[in-house]
Amino acid sequence: MAVTDLAQTELHFEVIKPKIGARVLNSKAELLSGALSSRINALLETSGVLIFPQINFTDEEQIQFTNLLGGNVNEIRGEAMFKVTLDEKINQKIAEYLKGSLFWHIDGTMHSMPIRASMLTAIVLASEGGDTDFANTASAYDALPQERKDAIADMRVVHSLWRSQLYHTPEPSMEQLEDWIDKGEAELPLVCTHKSGRKSLVLGNTAHYVKGLDPKDSYRVLHGLREFATGEAFSYRHKWTVGDTVIWDNRTSLHRATPYDPASGRMMHRTILNGTEAWEN
Ligand code: OGA
Ligand code: MN
């Protein structure tokens, strides 16, 4: 296809639900031409999660596409692409932390600069389970009654890696607990205001407690909002086919894997997009 033709390329997509999700139907050549990047980014912001069904990116193509959308930052192991698997032989210590991905979360809440978006490609599926759930916390915030918005407007939440790990390992050894505690904490606003003016909820398994509240009230706030934000209207479950790529706006989404056998061989390849806006504005 000539360059002039690509400049005319339209973004072909179908909306999955009004408040979350769209399927992008353009060809791989069109996606990798870069001609659609700004429109894809705009759609990502409104839809929260974009599906590229059976686009069959190679690792190099996924990295290229990530860069075209705004820049690939290095992954956990310092490489451009990270293998998401619970297989201990491939991921040694990290497989343990990845068990936290089975509970609603935001990627990298401990990072000083939030990850703007994360991208996953399905390489090997689990024979059972292993879907991925997404929820749009900006759509959910918009739908809250005004009095609830007012009540939570100034709340501050302490996030910690160790809290997220207690979901899957509630009785850790002291050595285990100290290792998690070493990974640090971050204090974040409960309601994030984006440069666009849109607001979203900052929740998930790392959200430990609301500062200044009694523990019961803190749990009511965090779990009440999580229950609301992950409700049917704001959430989408992706049932993978090998070769699918999915990208989500990490600042306005919660996501989780549904349970699967760690020995199933399930393998996803992940890249992450450079953050451009802090949680605080
Ligand atoms: C991730 C993640 C979910 C999944 O890679 O950040 O949470 O379904 N993955 O593997
Ligand atoms: Mn994740």
Side-chain angles (χ1 to χ4, degrees):
M1 191 184 283
V3 174
T4 45
D5 294 340
L6 282 169
Q8 312 295 323
T9 309
E10 290 195 23
L11 181 62
H12 294 294
F13 67 95
E14 51 194 36
V15 168
I16 297 174
K17 286 185 180 183
K19 294 192 189 298
I20 185 167
R23 248 176 242 110
V24 176
L25 304 172
N26 291 85
S27 67
K28 188 194 279 192
E30 288 168 335
L31 298 178
L32 295 180
S33 77
L36 296 170
S37 297
S38 57
R39 280 167 283 170
I40 292 171
N41 274 325
L43 185 64
L44 178 61
E45 211 169 311
T46 51
S47 299
V49 51
L50 302 181
I51 317 301
F52 300 87
Q54 286 168 275
I55 197 74
N56 290 303
F57 281 145
T58 62
D59 289 350
E60 289 71 27
E61 288 165 342
Q62 180 174 343
I63 292 165
Q64 187 190 346
F65 187 50
T66 305
N67 273 311
L68 284 168
L69 293 181
N72 183 356
V73 269
N74 279 346
E75 266 284 5
I76 297 175
R77 291 192 188 281
E79 289 159 10
M81 194 276 296
F82 177 68
K83 293 180 176 173
V84 177
T85 171
L86 296 182
D87 185 338
E88 300 272 353
K89 290 191 292 301
I90 297 172
N91 259 343
Q92 282 94 28
K93 268 198 101 184
I94 296 173
E96 183 68 22
Y97 300 129
L98 280 177
K99 290 183 190 162
S101 69
L102 297 166
F103 302 89
W104 289 108
H105 67 283
I106 293 171
D107 289 339
T109 48
M110 303 296 122
H111 299 196
S112 52
M113 178 56 84
I115 293 168
R116 178 162 75 85
S118 307
M119 192 186 299
L120 278 186
T121 295
I123 308 295
V124 180
L125 304 183
S127 44
E128 258 184 276
D131 301 337
T132 307
D133 284 335
F134 299 92
N136 190 330
T137 64
S139 301
Y141 176 84
D142 290 344
L144 287 173
Q146 188 58 45
E147 58 179 5
R148 188 95 175 104
K149 289 181 181 166
D150 293 342
I152 64 173
D154 297 320
M155 287 185 180
R156 310 277 307 166
V157 179
V158 174
H159 287 250
S160 63
L161 179 107
W162 66 270
R163 179 66 190 91
S164 71
Q165 300 302 303
L166 288 174
Y167 278 82
H168 59 78
T169 307
E171 295 182 342
S173 66
M174 279 311 288
E175 188 191 351
Q176 176 81 87
L177 184 65
E178 293 296 348
D179 174 59
W180 296 336
I181 289 174
D182 272 355
K183 302 288 181 297
E185 291 190 339
E187 186 186 315
L188 303 177
L190 176 55
V191 178
C192 172
T193 306
H194 303 269
K195 277 189 189 144
S196 62
R198 203 155 184 224
K199 292 177 189 245
S200 64
L201 299 164
V202 186
L203 298 167
N205 60 6
T206 59
H208 192 170
Y209 60 92
V210 181
K211 282 187 88 175
L213 289 192
D214 168 89
K216 277 199 297 296
D217 291 333
S218 170
Y219 269 65
R220 286 184 178 116
V221 169
L222 296 175
H223 290 273
L225 290 172
R226 195 250 315 132
E227 180 182 48
F228 179 74
T230 59
E232 190 55 37
F234 314 115
S235 67
Y236 163 69
R237 173 164 295 183
H238 189 64
K239 294 188 178 297
W240 295 91
T241 299
V242 169
D244 286 353
T245 288
V246 172
I247 178 167
W248 64 95
D249 185 323
N250 185 57
R251 297 177 74 239
T252 60
S253 308
L254 286 166
H255 65 282
R256 67 172 178 188
T258 68
Y260 60 95
D261 178 359
S264 65
R266 183 182 188 268
M267 168 68 75
M268 317 294 273
H269 283 186
R270 187 176 73 188
T271 50
I272 51 184
L273 270 75
N274 220 349
T276 50
E277 277 185 59
W279 291 110
E280 319 270 357
N281 276 302

